[in-house]
Amino acid sequence: MICLRLWRAVPTERRLAWARVLFLACLVIFSSTGKSDAENLPPVKIVAFGTSLTARGGWQAGLEAKLAACLQRPVRVESVAKSGETSAWALTQLDRVVAEEPDIILIELYANDATVHRFVSLAQSQRNIGEILDRLHRRLPRARIILMAMNPFSGLRGLIRPFVGSYISAHQAEARKRGVEFVDHRPGWERLSPDDQAAAIPDGAHPRPEVATRIIVPALVGHIAGRDCVD
């Protein structure tokens, strides 16, 4: 309507001469309005739910920034995570996740289940993640739930997780049964050379935050947004 009123105000004999000027002016008006609307949108709320790979991950801030730039709206990431805990602990934390009223839930809960000294069998871990997914879906039916496979383990931390791949596969199978999304970050880590991987994960379990951000964030942004976002 603004552009139409401006156009009608121009004398007929001058309309061709003013056409380009008005077109550019309208582009500026609509661009400014679109930007304002995007800034006024409520934030996309994300809960990262997991173990020390989330609690100590350091990739959340990068996800907030990159996804916000891609979606052109604010993004807020909160964590419900604790080092050393298992999927049994996660079952007791669902109220905390639900209280955040997230739009998206990112889940990684296999890593400590897979340690031999935690005595969480593969079958029990699979039952636990299935129950977690079912409860979250019932209580947050509109939320996107995304299971994740994280980085590899090595050294002693790899030795105490001899069947971690089976635990990941079991969790992925439960996700597939329910149509839950799955993002596998392992290929990103596998693209690093052995020396670079060792430097990136010096204790064999917990990546340096800057490397985790570089590998995890682009995969999540592309998956969530449904497209690649180039800086």
Side-chain angles (χ1 to χ4, degrees), residues 51 53-54 59 107-108 110 148-153 168 183-187 189 216:
T51 67
L53 301 180
T54 293
W59 45 265
I107 303 176
E108 54 84 13
Y110 61 86
M148 301 188 294
M150 305 299 278
N151 54 275
F153 296 94
I168 293 172
V183 174
D184 193 343
H185 297 296
R186 291 172 295 176
W189 292 100
I216 292 171

Side-chain angles (χ1 to χ4, degrees), residues 86-133:
T86 68
S87 58
W89 166 84
L91 280 166
T92 71
Q93 304 300 307
L94 299 183
D95 285 346
R96 292 176 60 196
V97 176
V98 172
E100 294 291 337
E101 298 182 347
D103 302 295
I104 299 169
I105 309 167
L106 305 173
I107 303 176
E108 54 84 13
L109 288 168
Y110 61 86
N112 296 319
D113 286 13
T115 58
V116 293
H117 63 286
R118 295 287 177 172
F119 304 108
V120 180
S121 70
L122 181 61
Q124 185 61 57
S125 181
Q126 188 162 0
R127 285 193 295 271
N128 287 350
I129 194 64
E131 188 171 352
I132 288 166
L133 295 177

Side-chain angles (χ1 to χ4, degrees), residues 14 22 26 56 58 61 81 93 106 115 131-132 143 178 208:
R14 295 187 181 179
L22 287 175
C26 290
R56 296 173 52 182
Q93 304 300 307
L106 305 173
T115 58
E131 188 171 352
I132 288 166
R178 295 161 174 81
R208 296 186 184 279

Side-chain angles (χ1 to χ4, degrees), residues 26-39:
C26 290
L27 282 180
V28 170
I29 290 169
F30 288 134
S31 297
S32 300
T33 301
K35 182 178 180 182
S36 177
D37 288 344
E39 290 173 348

Side-chain angles (χ1 to χ4, degrees), residues 2-194:
I2 295 172
C3 294
L4 183 59
R5 286 197 296 270
L6 288 172
W7 178 253
R8 286 174 176 172
V10 177
T12 303
E13 64 275 12
R14 295 187 181 179
R15 284 184 180 176
L16 290 177
W18 279 84
R20 291 182 182 178
V21 175
L22 287 175
F23 177 73
L24 292 173
C26 290
L27 282 180
V28 170
I29 290 169
F30 288 134
S31 297
S32 300
T33 301
K35 182 178 180 182
S36 177
D37 288 344
E39 290 173 348
N40 291 330
L41 288 171
V44 176
K45 299 179 184 177
I46 299 176
V47 169
F49 187 24
T51 67
S52 58
L53 301 180
T54 293
R56 296 173 52 182
W59 45 265
Q60 291 91 327
L63 178 59
E64 282 186 340
K66 296 293 186 182
L67 187 57
C70 182
L71 299 179
Q72 291 296 294
R73 64 181 293 184
V75 174
R76 190 181 78 222
V77 181
E78 302 290 343
S79 294
V80 176
K82 188 174 180 181
S83 298
E85 289 294 352
T86 68
S87 58
W89 166 84
L91 280 166
T92 71
Q93 304 300 307
L94 299 183
D95 285 346
R96 292 176 60 196
V97 176
V98 172
E100 294 291 337
E101 298 182 347
D103 302 295
I104 299 169
I105 309 167
L106 305 173
I107 303 176
E108 54 84 13
L109 288 168
Y110 61 86
N112 296 319
D113 286 13
T115 58
V116 293
H117 63 286
R118 295 287 177 172
F119 304 108
V120 180
S121 70
L122 181 61
Q124 185 61 57
S125 181
Q126 188 162 0
R127 285 193 295 271
N128 287 350
I129 194 64
E131 188 171 352
I132 288 166
L133 295 177
D134 288 341
R135 290 189 190 179
L136 288 174
H137 180 66
R138 282 196 300 270
R139 299 179 67 181
L140 296 166
R142 297 183 180 180
R144 287 179 68 180
I145 302 174
I146 303 173
L147 253 62
M148 301 188 294
M150 305 299 278
N151 54 275
F153 296 94
S154 63
L156 177 60
R157 286 184 166 90
L159 290 174
I160 63 174
R161 295 175 172 88
F163 306 112
V164 65
S166 297
Y167 282 76
I168 293 172
S169 296
H171 284 214
Q172 185 178 10
E174 292 303 305
R176 189 180 297 114
K177 285 180 189 176
R178 295 161 174 81
V180 169
E181 300 168 58
F182 183 80
V183 174
D184 193 343
H185 297 296
R186 291 172 295 176
W189 292 100
E190 290 166 1
R191 285 192 285 270
L192 298 180
S193 69

